[in-house]
Amino acid sequence: MSIAMKMKNNYLLIQEINQEEITTPSGLIIPPPKHNRKARIIETGSDQVKPGNIILKNMGKGTAVTLNNTEFEVIHINQIFAIIEENA
C-alpha cells in the first residue's frame, strides 16, 4: 500500500488489525479482545521501527486519520510498548 504521507518527528501512521474470535479444538470460543491494541505500521518517521512491523500500542493516545476512505491512526513512537515478532 502506498501512502502519500511522510511522517516526521518519531510519529507513526498505523492501521489496527482486526482480531477474530478463536475456537479451540475442544470447542471453547474465545472472543476477540474488547480493546484492540494490535496494529501494523504503515509509515514511520523513526529509525526504531519499520513499515510492516506489528505492534502493541496504548489505547486512546492517537489521532484518527482517513486517507482514501481507509481508517488510520497517528501515534508517537513512545505509545508503543512492544513489537510483535511472529517467528520468535
Side-chain angles (χ1 to χ4, degrees):
M1 171 185 299
S2 178
I3 301 295
M5 181 180 282
K6 179 76 172 160
M7 303 307 293
K8 297 178 122 184
N9 300 327
N10 291 325
Y11 281 92
L12 310 170
L13 182 68
I14 63 171
Q15 187 172 32
E16 287 191 352
I17 297 173
N18 292 330
Q19 298 179 41
E20 313 257 336
E21 68 181 26
I22 300 168
T23 303
T24 65
S26 63
L28 180 66
I29 298 174
I30 302 171
K34 181 177 178 183
H35 300 290
N36 188 3
R37 294 184 177 183
K38 216 181 217 189
R40 180 179 316 278
I41 296 176
I42 304 299
E43 190 66 45
T44 178
S46 169
D47 295 334
Q48 298 175 16
V49 293
K50 59 185 176 186
N53 282 145
I54 306 294
I55 60 166
L56 291 177
K57 65 181 182 74
N58 287 334
M59 290 298 301
K61 300 290 184 179
T63 301
V65 176
T66 302
L67 298 170
N68 300 330
N69 295 324
T70 306
E71 296 288 324
F72 296 98
E73 187 176 0
V74 176
I75 63 170
H76 193 269
I77 188 82
N78 292 341
Q79 301 307 319
I80 294 175
F81 56 88
I83 297 173
I84 299 173
E85 297 178 1
E86 297 291 331
N87 297 325

